[in-house]
Amino acid sequence: MRILLVFREGLDDNLFVYTLREGFRKKGFEVECSLDAFWNENSFYDIIHIQWPEELFYWNAPTDELLNKLDQRFKVLKRKGARIVYTRHNVCPHYLDINVQKSYELVQCYSDLIVHMGEYSKYEFINRYPESRVEHVIIPHHIYEGCYNEFLTKEESRLYLNIPQNRYVILAFGKFRHWDEIYMTIKAFLSCSVSNKYLLAPRMLPFSKNPKKNKFHKKIISLIGYYFFRYILKLINVDCDSSEVLISNENLAYYFSACDIVFIQRTKILNSGNVPLAFLFKRIAIAPALGNLKEILEKTGNPVFNPTQNCSIKKAIENAYSLSTTGLGEQNYIFAKENLSIRKICDCYVEAYKKISIL
């Protein structure tokens, strides 16, 4: 069985695909990670596994011509006997564009199998597309074993990031996509009754100290916004930076080792890689009771909240603070190693591939 994971070789900003590739290779399968191979008319794979439809067009909105090219490519692949697999990371694009949405629909239409990371996603899809006859399987998000330094101490990580040692650090990792996520996070942080609280949000601000705006006045607004908000927020123990900042894989370990809890700052969400990351680093995770997150967090005893109600978010943070001394972080780690290991998850994928294969 030849497997193609449709993702550009050399990208290192998301290790989800590469950990899968290495997991498959350890099991003896012939697997490639490439975008060019998907479009190459001379290549053939038994399984073509797509993660994000946006990746098919280098994360640019496709033209009508490119959508037609994608449609024709799927038809050729299907005629040759390839099986199309799609992992449903998102319900729809983060930044809605009609042609990007159409690319989602094309991928879903030609898929032989859709992988969901939880029960919610499966039944949401079935209700949304009742006419679809695609096969479904539930395979949870794996942990990134062996990718990061999991053995950094909290003390050395805080020293590295210049965070006071006596703070209770709430990490909101990942890019803040909308203003409502910023408002929600800061409001909940300020209202929660937690001693020595400190919010670490390395990609919060929609401003930049190196703005790439074309117009001069927009550059000035971005510069003023960046320095003004960083200064004001620092006064209330919010340590933040621009949403444009990229955190290296090496530095990611310092952020997760430095914090006490991981806060998922989304108002709309289906899945989050920050939950398995929190578990890998033996941290408590709190997230909105939405999508597949509600399922895994309630199963493991981690707090969830209603993102539209500040009192609910406040309560979840305070609950996580109380649970910090119960060993829940260690329990999360044990759960992840037993249920979300790359070995176990790859076994699930291989079994799913075989069910749709004609080999």
Side-chain angles (χ1 to χ4, degrees), residues 258-321:
C259 74
D260 292 286
I261 62 171
V262 176
F263 178 84
I264 312 300
Q265 74 276 13
R266 302 300 181 207
T267 55
K268 296 178 181 178
I269 194 168
L270 181 64
N271 303 292
S272 174
N274 286 342
V275 170
L277 274 172
F279 287 10
L280 181 65
F281 283 90
K282 303 178 181 178
R283 296 298 185 263
I284 294 172
I286 63 174
L290 301 173
N292 297 321
L293 300 188
K294 182 176 186 290
E295 180 181 331
I296 189 171
L297 292 188
E298 288 186 342
K299 182 177 182 179
T300 53
N302 290 262
V304 295
F305 58 82
N306 183 337
T308 66
Q309 297 178 1
N310 184 64
C311 61
S312 174
I313 310 170
K314 170 180 175 292
K315 183 179 178 181
I317 296 174
E318 292 169 352
N319 191 15
Y321 179 70

Side-chain angles (χ1 to χ4, degrees), residues 3-272:
I3 303 169
L4 174 65
L5 301 176
V6 183
F7 195 73
R8 278 169 287 170
E9 184 70 56
L11 291 183
D12 63 356
D13 61 337
N14 191 319
L15 299 179
F16 184 93
V17 182
Y18 296 123
T19 45
L20 277 183
R21 179 189 63 184
E22 296 311 304
F24 289 137
R25 286 179 175 174
K26 287 179 180 178
K27 293 183 178 297
F29 288 93
E30 184 180 350
V31 56
E32 297 296 331
C33 183
S34 173
L35 176 57
D36 290 341
F38 173 82
W39 293 106
N40 187 342
E41 295 181 1
N42 297 318
S43 66
F44 177 79
Y45 296 84
D46 303 295
I47 298 293
I48 296 178
H49 194 155
I50 298 168
Q51 304 294 330
W52 295 275
E54 293 95 333
E55 177 66 11
L56 295 169
F57 303 106
Y58 299 88
W59 291 81
N60 296 314
T63 61
D64 291 341
E65 182 180 358
L66 285 174
L67 287 175
N68 183 62
K69 182 181 177 181
L70 178 62
D71 182 68
Q72 295 304 313
R73 182 62 182 148
F74 277 134
K75 288 176 179 176
V76 170
L77 291 169
K78 299 282 279 190
R79 282 199 300 268
K80 289 183 176 180
R83 294 294 182 261
I84 310 298
V85 179
Y86 169 50
T87 293
R88 197 179 190 224
H89 290 271
N90 307 305
V91 172
C92 59
H94 293 315
Y95 305 102
L96 191 58
D97 176 276
I98 188 168
N99 275 11
V100 177
Q101 181 60 46
K102 286 180 180 179
S103 72
Y104 270 64
E105 292 167 0
L106 275 174
V107 170
Q108 291 167 172
C109 176
Y110 283 103
S111 291
D112 297 285
L113 175 72
I114 294 183
V115 179
H116 304 273
M117 295 184 186
E119 293 279 352
Y120 173 88
S121 177
K122 175 182 176 180
Y123 292 108
E124 194 278 341
F125 184 95
I126 291 172
N127 290 330
R128 182 184 289 258
Y129 305 102
E131 73 288 352
S132 175
R133 295 297 177 263
V134 67
E135 294 290 325
H136 299 275
V137 66
I138 297 172
I139 302 177
H141 195 306
H142 59 271
I143 52 175
Y144 300 108
E145 297 168 282
C147 295
Y148 307 106
N149 184 355
E150 304 164 32
F151 307 103
L152 290 168
T153 66
K154 184 181 292 185
E155 290 72 24
E156 64 183 308
S157 296
R158 291 187 177 187
L159 184 64
Y160 179 82
L161 295 174
N162 197 28
I163 298 172
Q165 296 289 345
N166 64 339
R167 298 294 187 180
Y168 185 79
V169 178
I170 303 167
L171 174 64
F173 198 76
K175 180 180 179 179
F176 283 66
R177 301 188 184 114
H178 307 287
W179 273 104
D180 58 352
E181 294 179 348
I182 298 174
Y183 295 144
M184 177 191 73
T185 303
I186 293 176
K187 184 177 180 180
F189 171 74
L190 292 176
S191 62
C192 69
S193 301
V194 172
S195 301
N196 295 321
K197 59 190 176 183
Y198 187 97
L199 177 61
L200 182 59
R203 302 188 67 195
M204 174 185 277
L205 298 178
F207 306 106
S208 173
K209 62 179 176 181
N210 299 303
K212 299 176 182 179
K213 308 290 185 182
N214 293 325
K215 295 184 178 179
F216 179 75
H217 74 278
K218 289 187 176 181
K219 289 184 178 182
I220 296 299
I221 292 172
S222 185
L223 276 170
I224 293 173
Y226 176 80
Y227 286 104
F228 174 77
F229 280 104
R230 281 201 79 191
Y231 174 77
I232 294 298
L233 292 172
K234 194 72 173 179
L235 297 177
I236 56 173
N237 293 321
V238 175
D239 186 349
C240 61
D241 210 324
S242 171
S243 61
E244 296 179 353
V245 171
L246 296 179
I247 308 298
S248 69
N249 291 322
E250 180 182 2
N251 282 343
L252 179 146
Y254 286 100
Y255 283 91
F256 279 83
S257 297
C259 74
D260 292 286
I261 62 171
V262 176
F263 178 84
I264 312 300
Q265 74 276 13
R266 302 300 181 207
T267 55
K268 296 178 181 178
I269 194 168
L270 181 64
N271 303 292
S272 174

